[in-house]
Amino acid sequence: MAMYDETVAGLDQLPEVERTILTRQYIEGEYQPIVRDELGLKSSAYYRRQIKARRHLADALNEAPTFQRLEISFTP
């Protein structure tokens, strides 16, 4: 349960667009072009925001006590 709480807390720290990308594409499993179009982003902008979101989430999780020993890294 602590891992879930800390993951949600990490998501909550992200800017709204980044949080939307991660939750809708990776958690809810929505098709990427649908999410991208609804956010009004071009493919390249969506890709950059997606990378930024994943990097920010990895950084937030590394600060959380439960995840600190795991040393989560992000590779684009």
Side-chain angles (χ1 to χ4, degrees), residues 18 21 43-53 55:
E18 293 177 12
I21 289 170
S43 294
S44 58
Y46 184 87
Y47 180 72
R48 284 192 307 273
R49 293 301 289 261
Q50 182 185 54
I51 288 174
K52 226 169 119 176
R55 183 173 292 126

Side-chain angles (χ1 to χ4, degrees), residues 13-63:
Q13 294 176 20
L14 299 177
E16 184 177 347
V17 172
E18 293 177 12
R19 183 175 53 247
T20 300
I21 289 170
L22 291 180
T23 55
R24 289 183 61 188
Q25 185 175 343
Y26 295 106
I27 297 171
E28 297 171 7
E30 288 189 48
Y31 191 53
Q32 183 230 353
I34 294 171
V35 177
R36 182 190 68 223
D37 291 346
E38 287 181 9
L39 291 173
L41 298 172
K42 293 182 179 182
S43 294
S44 58
Y46 184 87
Y47 180 72
R48 284 192 307 273
R49 293 301 289 261
Q50 182 185 54
I51 288 174
K52 226 169 119 176
R54 290 166 38 198
R55 183 173 292 126
H56 287 154
L57 182 59
D59 290 344
L61 292 177
N62 282 326
E63 293 176 10

